[in-house]
Amino acid sequence: MSCDLLPTDQPGPHYQGDVRDILPLRHWRFLIAHPVCKYLTNAGAKHLYRRVNGVWSVNHGPDEERWRNMREAAAFFLLFEKADHIPMRAVENPIMHGHAVAIIGRKPDQYIQPWMFGDPFSKATGLHLTGLPKLIREKEKSDYAAGEIKQKVWLMGPSDDREEKRSETEPGIARAYAEQWGPIVTAIRKAT
């Protein structure tokens, strides 16, 4: 089932609400979590400091609200990272800045890119894995010529749904999750 504060885009079982409502209530075997990265990502690290005359700088002092939001986001990430009652977990996020890594306590087990799984885009995604193997790159789908891989997310212009669009999982990565981890989850389900 999926869970989000927003309605689902796809038909199927979906809980619209806070994942903290259901995470401890059921015996989950498998979880892929996509916690919000806005305050954890390396790309947003400059926002941890105040902006003066259009420039963010450590010299301008910390933005206390942003640091508070970063700590809350890291705590939310850790809900999934430490959900030991779920034996197979993948918690994904872009490359994190050092402050977030220090709170979370470790770097991801693996970084993946959409182009590794057949989508000609660059968007580094870190996977914190528990009970799951690293994804194997699909070489027959990832041989792109120079210039074919696009910076889709980085070049995305401003819009009302920019944050939502930037967080979408590319189809090739979703397919790799299903094809590579699905059989493991199914085998364990049949054994129990």
Side-chain angles (χ1 to χ4, degrees):
M1 86 182 283
S2 62
C3 175
D4 200 322
L5 295 173
L6 301 172
T8 182
D9 292 339
Q10 303 294 323
H14 178 71
Y15 177 78
Q16 185 175 343
D18 191 326
V19 71
R20 290 172 280 210
D21 296 340
I22 64 170
L23 192 63
L25 298 179
R26 297 201 39 192
H27 179 70
W28 304 105
R29 291 184 180 95
F30 174 65
L31 168 76
I32 300 175
H34 308 273
V36 175
C37 65
K38 179 177 182 177
Y39 301 107
L40 304 176
T41 177
N42 200 42
K46 69 182 179 184
H47 298 283
L48 291 169
Y49 302 95
R50 289 185 300 182
R51 185 178 182 179
V52 177
N53 297 325
V55 176
W56 283 280
S57 173
V58 173
N59 297 331
H60 300 150
D63 180 327
E64 295 300 336
E65 181 180 358
R66 189 75 179 205
W67 278 87
R68 186 172 43 261
N69 291 337
M70 186 268 297
R71 287 185 200 97
E72 288 173 10
F76 186 70
F77 184 98
L78 285 169
L79 285 175
F80 305 108
E81 178 77 358
K82 295 184 175 188
D84 293 333
H85 64 288
I86 305 172
M88 293 174 283
R89 301 186 305 279
V91 187
E92 68 88 37
N93 236 243
I95 298 171
M96 291 183 184
H97 55 69
H99 304 293
V101 172
I103 293 171
I104 289 164
R106 71 181 184 108
K107 291 185 177 183
D109 298 291
Q110 176 181 27
Y111 286 104
I112 58 173
Q113 294 271 2
W115 59 262
M116 295 173 163
F117 304 95
D119 296 308
F121 304 111
S122 177
K123 179 187 173 191
T125 301
L127 298 175
H128 287 73
L129 302 172
T130 302
L132 293 167
K134 293 179 180 179
L135 291 177
I136 299 168
R137 175 181 168 184
E138 298 174 2
K139 292 186 181 181
E140 69 280 357
K141 294 180 182 177
S142 61
D143 290 331
Y144 292 98
E148 286 186 318
I149 297 174
K150 306 295 180 205
Q151 293 285 339
K152 179 175 151 182
V153 171
W154 185 67
L155 295 175
M156 194 176 287
S159 69
D160 291 340
D161 60 353
R162 182 176 190 254
E163 187 173 348
E164 185 179 334
K165 285 182 177 178
R166 286 176 61 112
S167 68
E168 290 176 351
T169 300
E170 294 295 335
I173 290 176
R175 189 172 41 255
Y177 290 161
E179 291 174 357
Q180 295 185 37
W181 293 337
I184 297 167
V185 175
T186 301
I188 289 178
R189 192 168 88 201
K190 287 180 180 176
T192 56

